[in-house]
Each structure stands twice: as C-alpha cells, then as structure tokens.
Amino acid sequence: MIDSVLDSTSSICIEEIEQRLTKQFGSKVSILKTPKSDAINIILIHEDEYYRDKVDPHDKVYKDCAVQHITIETVSHLMDMTNDRDKESGWKSVLDCIMQEVLIKEDIKSKHISMVNWAEYNYTDPVIFGICHKDDDNNNHFHFMTVYPNGDFSIVEKENTLFEQDEYQDCIDIFGKEDVIGIVKLGNDINVIHNTNLRTIPEINILKERLQNGDNKVRNKTSIDVLFPAVTDIKSFDTNKNSLHYFSGIIGAGMKRDISTAANIRMVDTYRHSKLFFNDLLRLMAVTFVRNGQLTIMPFPFKYLLEGIQS
C-alpha cells in the first residue's frame, strides 16, 4: 500500500484498507512510499475531480510495476456506511475489483496469463486478437495480442502500409469498416467481430399473459429461466456457415433477481475463405474477473490487450 494523499485522514484509510485486505485475502500488507516491482501495489489517491488543475496520478505509467488505484473518497464512503451488510458487500466488491485489475496488470508485466489455465483450452496454434485503437488526435493504431498454447503472450503494434505485407496486414485492412470492433485469427482463419444495434428482449408474450392472469411472481429462478433466456448466460445462433450472432448476458445460475438491461447482440463473420471458429471462443467470455462478477462481452484476451496498450 502506498499513501499518495498524505492528509489528516489518509493514514486512517490506509489502516482500514490493510485490515480489509488481510481479512478478505489473507494478504501480507506493507505500507511503503513507492511501488515495488515484485509486489502487487495499491495506491491511495483522490478522484479525478480533485486533480483538475494538478498533476493527475491516474495518468502515471508504471512500466515495471503492477499498480492499481483506490480513491480516498471511495474508502471514506465505505467507512461511513452504517448498514453492516451493505458495508461488507461494498468492501468485498471494491477489493475484488482492485485485485482482479492488478493481477491482470501483473500478467501483462510477466507476459503470461495466470487468471485461467490457458493450456486447458487446448489450442494447438497461437490465437491472435486484434483491435484498432484511436489516440487523442483520432489516429488509428493497430494492436495485436498473440496467445501461445501455454498461456504466454506477446503484444505488438503494427502500422498500415501499402508496401509491406505480413500476417497482420489483412487484419489491419478489415478495420476499414466502422462497425468492426475486433478480429481473431486462428491459424490461417480470421473471424471478425462487428457491433450491431440489436438488443435482446424477454419473452414478452408469455410475460404479458402471466401478468394478465395475476401471476406476478416473475423474479424466481424458474420464471427467469422461462421469461428471460435472452438476457442470461452466453448464447449464439448461426446466421449461415460463415456468420453468427452472439450475446453475453447475466449469469443464469445463482443470479441476482434484478435484470437492469438487455444484452447487446454482436455479429461475427469470416474474412474471405476463412472457417467460422468463433463458437469455440465463447468459453473465453465465461469468466468473471474482467467485469467483477459478470460475464465479459468479448473474449477476455481483449481486456489484456487494452491493458497492455495503456501500460
């Protein structure tokens, strides 16, 4: 833990975080002045607004350290909670999120996926994930993450060039379409992920009929399975042999009883004569460490790729 606030209350907040980390994870916590390269580092800072006319520590890049921030405003809010159940739940959620984020950053530093056992996915070839990232001047940057069968990975940036052809150039050309949000390359095959304006909806007719008949018990597990299959779990449906649609909703089994949003439907198609293999990648969204307890909406290596770009 590093205290970069250093005011009259920050030491109290640091002590509270230390106790909570030890209780929740059994962690050994040291209070230091600077991050360590061989440790997981959590730095206490203020929220963005505080740094409006000051140097913002959010923007600092730590090349050789895994660092995650927690704001003193968040800690103070949790400490001020009077409902013990809400306080415990709040602390668990915040610290789970922090640890997940910083462990991903630790993986970025070591260039190896440790959050899951990648070898158990049984990919015999490297899998390449690609995105187009725009900088502050709206210039395109093309980044690719290659994950090897043992879970090691590399991240590179490639330029769009007319005079050099390599395995990335076809992938770069694909990003000429505005709705493309990512590509995945497995062997010689490329699958392209597109955004759409489509959303899932619940079983409206069945829901209407049950409500009209006076049955308003729609929040139990059985009713959710019948009425809301379009917003639970990860599902896909084939359009043809070269394309499919998929969505990632909320976890069905043991889920919370409130459903706040519909799921965004995305479309995947093949590039040129490639085979459609994306159904095999849906399992890469059945993880909860990217969105803090929720299923991820893209295969999780895209999260690593985005973190790698920013590190």
Side-chain angles (χ1 to χ4, degrees):
M1 286 292 309
I2 297 98
D3 182 1
S4 70
V5 174
L6 298 173
D7 66 11
S8 58
T9 62
S10 63
S11 60
I12 299 172
C13 291
I14 287 285
E15 183 179 350
E16 179 72 11
I17 299 168
E18 178 184 6
Q19 293 174 1
R20 293 284 175 173
L21 285 169
T22 302
K23 178 182 177 180
Q24 191 161 323
F25 301 107
S27 306
K28 178 184 176 181
V29 182
S30 300
I31 313 301
L32 304 176
K33 293 184 178 180
T34 58
K36 290 181 63 178
S37 61
D38 61 345
I40 288 172
N41 301 279
I42 301 174
I43 302 180
L44 183 69
I45 62 174
H46 281 285
E47 291 180 347
D48 290 349
E49 185 65 25
Y50 177 86
Y51 301 105
R52 182 178 294 274
D53 300 316
K54 304 179 180 68
V55 176
D56 191 341
H58 292 90
D59 298 330
K60 186 171 182 177
V61 176
Y62 298 88
K63 285 291 184 183
D64 301 316
C65 297
V67 170
Q68 186 64 27
H69 298 120
I70 184 171
T71 69
I72 192 169
E73 289 81 6
T74 295
V75 176
S76 298
H77 172 70
L78 291 169
M79 292 176 64
D80 288 343
M81 284 185 171
T82 55
N83 184 301
D84 289 341
R85 184 174 179 180
D86 289 345
K87 177 180 285 190
E88 293 300 316
S89 175
W91 270 110
K92 183 179 187 311
S93 179
V94 168
L95 294 183
D96 278 349
C97 182
I98 285 174
M99 291 300 288
Q100 288 163 6
E101 290 291 326
V102 77
L103 287 173
I104 290 174
K105 291 177 179 178
E106 182 71 16
D107 282 1
I108 297 295
K109 189 181 74 170
S110 65
K111 295 181 172 58
H112 179 81
I113 294 173
S114 69
M115 300 293 283
V116 299
N117 184 354
W118 182 267
E120 291 185 351
Y121 292 123
N122 294 317
Y123 292 114
T124 56
D125 293 315
V127 187
I128 298 176
F129 301 85
I131 59 171
C132 176
H133 174 73
K134 291 186 180 296
D135 61 23
D136 293 339
D137 296 321
N138 211 35
N139 297 313
N140 290 332
H141 296 267
F142 304 97
H143 299 270
F144 298 92
M145 175 181 179
T146 301
V147 186
Y148 302 96
N150 67 349
D152 290 344
F153 64 85
S154 60
I155 295 176
V156 297
E157 180 178 356
K158 289 292 180 176
E159 293 184 357
N160 189 6
T161 175
L162 297 175
F163 305 105
E164 295 181 17
Q165 291 292 321
D166 59 20
E167 62 178 328
Y168 298 102
Q169 189 57 46
D170 281 345
C171 299
I172 290 172
D173 292 341
I174 294 169
F175 286 105
K177 295 182 179 180
E178 290 186 1
D179 65 347
V180 173
I181 55 176
I183 65 95
V184 187
K185 188 174 187 287
L186 181 59
N188 293 320
D189 298 316
I190 300 174
N191 285 191
V192 186
I193 309 171
H194 303 261
N195 232 341
T196 77
N197 293 322
L198 302 175
R199 299 290 187 276
T200 59
I201 60 173
E203 299 292 338
I204 297 296
N205 293 330
I206 301 176
L207 182 60
K208 178 181 178 181
E209 181 180 350
R210 285 179 56 167
L211 291 174
Q212 286 178 336
N213 291 333
D215 181 4
N216 61 0
K217 298 178 179 179
V218 298
R219 293 167 66 88
N220 57 59
K221 179 65 172 68
T222 302
S223 293
I224 286 172
D225 288 342
V226 173
L227 299 173
F228 301 99
V231 291
T232 57
D233 299 320
I234 301 165
K235 297 184 176 73
S236 70
F237 49 96
D238 295 341
T239 307
N240 54 57
K241 69 175 184 177
N242 294 317
S243 67
L244 62 80
H245 288 77
Y246 81 90
F247 69 84
S248 179
I250 55 178
I251 299 174
M255 59 175 284
K256 296 179 180 179
R257 297 303 176 211
D258 55 327
I259 300 174
S260 58
T261 60
N264 179 210
I265 297 174
R266 291 173 171 81
M267 192 268 282
V268 177
D269 63 7
T270 59
Y271 178 70
R272 292 182 178 170
H273 304 295
S274 296
K275 295 178 182 178
L276 184 66
F277 58 81
F278 195 84
N279 262 322
D280 188 51
L281 299 180
L282 296 178
R283 54 188 175 157
L284 301 184
M285 294 185 284
V287 299
T288 57
F289 57 80
V290 172
R291 298 176 66 210
N292 194 23
Q294 302 180 58
L295 300 172
T296 183
I297 58 177
M298 295 274 280
F300 76 82
F302 282 104
K303 167 69 172 178
Y304 276 71
L305 183 49
L306 287 169
E307 287 290 341
I309 293 170
Q310 296 168 8
S311 63

